[in-house]
């Protein structure tokens, strides 16, 4: 009997360990073994979202057994059970969905008109009202040195529709590390938290492509998406010679549902090289600018911004012979989506532009299960800023 009880107790411990604990995943390409960034991991039991970092890593804590959904626009989707992930580090190989040669898609309508329709339909389909639980973080760099870092857990309650999107923000936790100086508000070109969701939900960054003259300034091309037969990709590049400051754009969309799934852009090297240098005091000469947004569609009642990544670098003219280089990197990850609205007092709403204006509020080490694992480089940056006197 004693032997049986010991055996049974051991089984219970094994089950408890399998049902609760930290899970570490690393995603790699099945053929190249290269790490895969932006893999979307959803714990189906809790509806919690996570996204892989540039090293393909995802970490989270899970209590209880759940199915875990794995998705990426360029790879075949998978589903695994959490109790099958028993290693300290679980490497998951994803198989590329490539099955055809890339082809240029010939359309009756000009791609610009198709893009206009995609934006209008996507804006209309985005789910509101809704609540997004978001992890936000920001790196600030001045003259080659990282000076400031902040992150936080925020709740965005989004209402309205089309061009009238509104959001109320409640900050659950936040922290700020380092100092950026008294002129931070002029330097910070990152997220303005009170209008960023409106910009993303209205696809504001694509507005220059809808202007009448855009057909003369850009080459619009639609291609088959070899990694998924359900999607098309629209590639938009400025025509040579590049006039003014212009970006290269890539827009991934569902060709049947007519909704946008990913948007990315980066300023073209020719734009930077050919841009006239501004010398007046207060001017900014941009040398780096890029962003990527991913939207998640999980049914007609669940279409929302999943993640955002922005980076900007510019040289600010302070005086005739004095210039300051500023770089800002921002990340957003929606860890939780709900159609249930939360109740709050007017005094609880966060109305400032950025979290650095807010006093630290740390209840847990939320950054360790934020939905986006920092890379070793980012961890070193945060530690170095923390160690500064």
């Amino acid at each position: 009997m004693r032997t049986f009880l010991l055996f049974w107790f051991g089984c219970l411990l094994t089950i408890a360990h399998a049902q609760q604990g930290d899970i570490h995943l690393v995603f790699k390409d099945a053929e190249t073994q290269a790490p895969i960034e932006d893999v979307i991991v959803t714990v189906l039991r809790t509806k919690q979202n996570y996204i892989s970092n540039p090293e393909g890593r995802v970490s989270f804590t899970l209590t209880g057994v759940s199915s875990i959904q794995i998705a990426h626009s360029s790879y075949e989707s998978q589903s695994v059970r959490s109790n099958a992930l028993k290693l300290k580090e679980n490497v998951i190989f994803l198989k590329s969905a490539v099955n055809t040669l890339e082809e240029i898609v010939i359309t009756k309508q000009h791609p610009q008109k198709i893009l206009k329709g995609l934006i209008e339909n996507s804006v209309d389909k985005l789910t509101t009202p809704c609540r997004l639980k978001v992890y936000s973080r920001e790196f600030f760099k001045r003259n080659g040195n990282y000076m400031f870092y902040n992150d936080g857990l925020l709740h965005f309650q989004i209402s309205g529709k089309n061009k009238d999107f509104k959001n109320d923000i409640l900050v659950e936790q936040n922290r700020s590390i380092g100092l950026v100086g008294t002129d931070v508000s002029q330097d910070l070109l990152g997220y303005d938290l009170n209008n960023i969701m409106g910009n993303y939900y209205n696809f504001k960054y694509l507005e220059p492509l809808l202007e009448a003259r855009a057909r003369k300034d850009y080459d619009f091309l639609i291609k088959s998406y070899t990694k998924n037969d359900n999607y098309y990709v629209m590639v938009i590049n400025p025509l040579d010679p590049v006039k003014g400051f212009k970006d290269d754009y890539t827009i991934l969309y569902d060709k049947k549902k007519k909704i946008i799934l990913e948007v990315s852009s980066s300023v073209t090297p020719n734009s930077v090289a050919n841009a006239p240098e501004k010398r007046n005091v207060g001017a900014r000469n941009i040398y780096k600018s890029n962003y990527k947004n991913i939207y998640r569609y999980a049914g007609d009642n669940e279409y929302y911004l999943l993640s955002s990544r922005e980076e900007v670098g510019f040289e600010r003219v302070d005086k005739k012979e004095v210039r300051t280089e500023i770089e800002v990197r921002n990340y957003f990850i929606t860890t939780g989506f709900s159609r249930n609205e939360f109740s709050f007092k007017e005094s609880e709403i966060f109305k400032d532009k950025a979290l650095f204006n807010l006093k630290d509020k740390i209840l847990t080490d939320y950054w360790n299960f934020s939905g986006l694992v920092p890379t070793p480089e980012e961890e070193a940056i945060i530690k170095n800023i923390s160690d500064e006197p």
Side-chain angles (χ1 to χ4, degrees), residues 16-137:
H17 181 268
Q19 290 182 339
Q20 180 173 343
D22 296 333
I23 293 178
H24 303 282
L25 308 177
V26 179
F27 295 99
K28 293 186 177 182
D29 186 289
E31 293 185 10
T32 67
Q33 315 296 303
I36 307 173
E37 188 177 11
D38 293 335
V39 177
I40 302 167
V41 176
T42 303
V43 178
L44 296 183
R45 187 170 61 81
T46 63
K47 300 297 183 182
Q48 190 87 354
N49 294 321
Y50 304 91
I51 194 166
S52 63
N53 69 8
E55 296 181 325
R57 297 183 179 277
V58 170
S59 295
F60 55 93
T61 299
L62 179 63
T63 301
V65 177
S66 174
S67 291
I68 297 173
Q69 186 182 72
I70 299 165
H72 191 286
S73 61
S74 299
Y75 293 87
E76 294 180 356
S77 298
Q78 291 188 28
S79 181
V80 298
R81 294 286 289 175
S82 60
N83 54 358
L85 305 170
K86 299 177 180 180
L87 300 179
K88 184 176 180 181
E89 184 175 272
N90 300 273
V91 179
I92 297 179
F93 294 96
L94 300 186
K95 184 179 179 182
S96 175
V98 176
N99 53 24
T100 58
L101 296 175
E102 182 180 81
E103 298 178 347
I104 296 175
V105 179
I106 307 300
T107 61
K108 294 181 180 179
Q109 291 182 320
H110 190 281
Q112 186 195 48
K113 190 171 183 179
I114 293 174
L115 176 61
K116 184 174 185 296
L118 285 171
I119 293 173
E120 290 175 350
N121 190 56
S122 297
V123 168
D124 183 62
K125 294 292 185 183
L126 282 163
T127 305
T128 59
C130 71
R131 183 174 80 240
L132 305 181
K133 184 175 182 179
V134 170
Y135 173 65
S136 170
R137 78 178 180 211

Side-chain angles (χ1 to χ4, degrees), residues 140-310:
F140 180 90
K141 191 176 184 181
R142 186 201 299 268
N143 290 333
N145 298 313
Y146 285 96
M147 312 284 294
F148 180 77
Y149 171 83
N150 70 39
D151 62 22
L153 288 178
L154 301 87
H155 296 267
F156 286 81
Q157 182 156 292
I158 303 175
S159 59
K161 205 66 180 173
N162 296 327
K163 293 293 182 180
D164 194 31
F165 285 113
K166 299 176 182 177
N167 64 254
D168 293 308
I169 306 171
L170 271 66
V171 179
E172 181 180 318
Q173 300 187 62
N174 66 285
R175 61 173 179 164
S176 297
I177 303 170
L179 298 171
V180 291
T182 57
D183 58 349
V184 61
S185 60
Q186 298 176 16
D187 291 343
L188 204 59
L189 287 185
Y191 291 135
D192 182 340
L193 294 175
N194 275 282
N195 68 19
I196 194 64
M197 283 299 182
N199 291 343
Y200 288 159
Y201 271 51
N202 283 309
F203 298 90
K204 184 176 180 180
Y205 294 173
L206 297 180
E207 287 181 357
L209 301 175
L210 302 182
E211 296 175 0
R213 67 167 294 112
R215 296 192 186 190
K216 298 179 180 179
D217 292 338
Y218 292 91
D219 176 43
F220 291 76
L221 194 64
I222 297 177
K223 299 180 180 179
S224 60
Y225 191 61
T226 61
K227 298 174 181 179
N228 193 319
D229 288 338
N230 296 317
Y231 304 155
Y232 279 157
V233 59
M234 187 178 296
V235 179
I236 305 171
N237 304 123
L239 295 168
D240 288 329
V242 179
K243 299 177 181 178
F245 213 74
K246 292 182 173 61
D247 291 4
D248 291 312
Y249 295 87
T250 303
I251 302 160
L252 182 71
Y253 65 95
D254 189 305
K255 63 185 181 183
K256 292 182 179 179
K257 295 182 177 67
K258 308 296 184 185
I259 57 172
I260 294 173
L261 300 173
E262 294 181 9
V263 179
S264 60
S265 79
S266 60
V267 64
T268 66
N270 284 343
S271 287
V272 175
N274 297 328
E277 183 182 14
K278 300 175 183 178
R279 300 184 178 182
N280 55 302
V281 175
R284 293 168 175 170
N285 294 300
I286 296 177
Y287 58 83
K288 179 193 299 183
S289 177
N290 58 72
Y291 84 100
K292 180 178 181 179
N293 287 358
I294 299 175
Y295 296 83
R296 177 177 170 82
Y297 178 83
D300 291 338
N301 294 319
E302 198 168 320
Y303 176 42
Y304 59 93
L305 176 77
L306 177 72
S307 72
S308 169
R309 189 166 64 238
E310 290 195 41

